[in-house]
Amino acid sequence: MTATDPALTALAQGWCALSALHGRIEAHIERALQTKHDLSVREYSLLDVLSRQHDGEGGHLQMKQVADAVVLSQSATTRLVTRLEDRGLLERYLCPTDRRGIYTNVTEAGLRLLEEARPTNDAALREALDEASRSTELAPLVRAVKSLNVPA
């Protein structure tokens, strides 16, 4: 394949379209969450991921799992956890069975903020997808996103 190969060009164009859709959605949600709840998309995502933890086998996430879930490096995730902990939205504690492990839980204040912000996030997502669906280039991607049945 050469740099002018039509297959590579189509692949690059597809990637650019996907990246544009992601950027538009994230920016729209970011504005809504910041305006109404003083939360970034990453902060909301972190609260959401951590709120789904549970007691029992595999119920608590290690920092690497959390970083993967919010698509950040481990160091960036640690900084994000610290910021939310400073705001009283998260708390850290030692693993009761392995004193080297540290878990992070959402506080009651964090859960309340998450529940208040969830409708804003969901509405902003729908708005961003609806807007993007009017773009000829992005409409097929929007249809693909809407057709996914991914478990929470």
Side-chain angles (χ1 to χ4, degrees), residues 5 8 10 14 16 19 23 42 44-45 74 82-83 86-87 98 103 108 113 118 129 144 151:
D5 187 315
L8 285 178
C16 286
S19 182
R42 297 286 188 217
Y44 175 88
S45 296
Q74 282 187 259
T82 300
R83 280 198 313 271
D86 290 347
R87 289 176 59 187
D98 178 0
Y103 289 139
E108 287 300 318
L113 181 57
R118 194 177 307 280
L129 286 170

Side-chain angles (χ1 to χ4, degrees), residues 5-130:
D5 187 315
L8 285 178
T9 302
L11 187 62
Q13 288 172 339
W15 168 244
C16 286
L18 182 59
S19 182
L21 177 62
H22 176 269
R24 285 183 183 197
I25 291 170
E26 189 170 62
H28 191 82
I29 294 172
E30 180 83 24
R31 284 189 301 275
L33 288 173
Q34 280 291 345
T35 299
K36 295 182 180 179
H37 307 285
D38 193 29
L39 275 177
S40 71
V41 169
R42 297 286 188 217
E43 291 167 338
Y44 175 88
S45 296
L46 180 62
L47 289 172
D48 185 53
V49 165
L50 292 174
S51 75
R52 297 174 194 277
Q53 293 186 126
H54 57 84
D55 290 330
E57 185 74 25
H60 289 277
L61 302 173
Q62 298 174 351
M63 199 55 81
K64 169 133 179 42
Q65 294 170 299
V66 174
D68 289 345
V70 296
V71 194
L72 289 174
S73 68
Q74 282 187 259
S75 60
T77 301
T78 299
R79 289 190 301 274
L80 184 58
V81 165
T82 300
R83 280 198 313 271
L84 292 179
E85 186 177 36
D86 290 347
R87 289 176 59 187
L89 302 173
L90 297 178
E91 60 188 1
R92 293 182 230 206
Y93 64 96
L94 290 176
C95 171
T97 58
D98 178 0
R99 303 305 265 172
R100 296 170 297 169
I102 298 175
Y103 289 139
T104 305
N105 268 344
V106 182
T107 63
E108 287 300 318
L111 289 172
R112 279 192 307 276
L113 181 57
L114 179 62
E115 288 310 308
E116 291 169 8
R118 194 177 307 280
T120 301
N121 180 79
D122 295 349
L125 173 59
R126 280 191 298 277
E127 290 166 4
L129 286 170
D130 288 347

